[in-house]
Amino acid sequence: MAIKSGLVALVDSVRAYLDARFDPSERPVVVLGWRERTKQVNQGPGGANRVVFTPSDDAGRGGRIVGTQQPGPRTFGTAPNTITTRALFDWERQLVVSVWAFDRSKPTDEAAQIEAVETLFEWVVRAVQQTARVNATWTDVTWTVEPVEHAFGRELRAGLIFRHPLFDAEADVAFPTGAITKRFADQSG
């Protein structure tokens, strides 16, 4: 068993959260990566309706490494497939979460498009908080305003600082068994 990247685990959890709450015909696509934001093949049903987690800000800054909040050994997995390791540091990752949504019923109504984006963004915030709890801090929000005409909805981009541990190599744990002798060392037979 290997410990998964904290960021990959967060994105997987957000995807599962939204998958469980949206009808498949309206389900947003949740993806991770620098190239995903500019792709057009990763849109949700009906166009738009996607969430992209970018692992840094636009300048490539990925956050900072800080002291861990929970030192000491941790055990992961379910017996007998468990591993034990310790957190060395925490990574306060600087991410950008792009939310792009589209209201098909009113494609030229700007208020409807804003409402669609904000509604999906609220779902994303809920999903992140469900998983990351106090280890997620939202920062600046920007709207993508160029080009002026958006035929398929709007995009909102929000900064997210996600704190997760960086782990040491897996530690082998031995469980000794006791040996009890019923006689003293100086006694015979």
Side-chain angles (χ1 to χ4, degrees):
M1 177 181 161
I3 296 175
K4 192 180 236 185
S5 159
L7 177 56
V8 172
L10 173 68
V11 173
D12 287 349
S13 295
V14 168
R15 184 181 302 112
Y17 183 94
L18 296 178
D19 285 354
R21 287 160 177 82
F22 279 79
D23 182 86
S25 66
E26 297 293 326
R27 187 174 292 152
V29 171
V30 179
V31 292
L32 168 65
W34 287 275
R35 295 181 304 205
E36 295 296 330
R37 182 170 174 252
T38 58
K39 287 184 180 178
Q40 294 190 17
V41 295
N42 62 6
Q43 297 178 21
N49 297 327
R50 70 176 175 180
V51 178
V52 178
F53 285 81
T54 306
S56 68
D57 67 9
D58 290 337
R61 289 182 297 270
R64 60 192 192 120
I65 306 299
V66 297
T68 187
Q69 292 178 326
Q70 298 176 348
R74 301 183 198 187
T75 302
F76 298 93
T78 308
N81 299 320
T82 60
I83 60 171
T84 300
T85 188
R86 65 188 178 113
L88 297 173
F89 294 96
D90 283 357
W91 186 352
E92 289 182 342
R93 289 188 101 124
Q94 192 168 333
L95 313 172
V96 176
V97 181
S98 301
V99 176
W100 182 28
F102 177 57
D103 183 339
R104 288 184 301 225
S105 68
K106 300 176 185 174
T108 59
D109 183 340
E110 197 164 29
Q113 304 313 314
I114 292 168
E115 185 72 31
V117 174
E118 290 181 8
T119 298
L120 180 54
F121 180 62
E122 287 176 351
W123 279 106
V124 171
V125 169
R126 291 178 195 122
V128 167
Q129 297 310 128
Q130 174 74 26
T131 300
R133 304 189 191 291
V134 298
N135 292 317
T137 304
W138 293 94
T139 63
D140 297 340
V141 176
T142 58
W143 287 90
T144 302
V145 294
E146 294 294 331
V148 176
E149 185 63 36
H150 291 272
F152 291 102
R154 289 281 175 180
E155 180 189 43
L156 175 144
R157 302 182 76 221
L160 174 62
I161 297 172
F162 173 51
R163 184 176 183 141
H164 67 86
L166 298 172
F167 291 106
D168 196 355
E170 178 181 349
D172 290 329
V173 179
F175 297 98
T177 57
I180 299 175
T181 304
K182 294 187 178 192
R183 57 189 143 96
F184 293 108
D186 61 337
Q187 292 180 334
S188 62

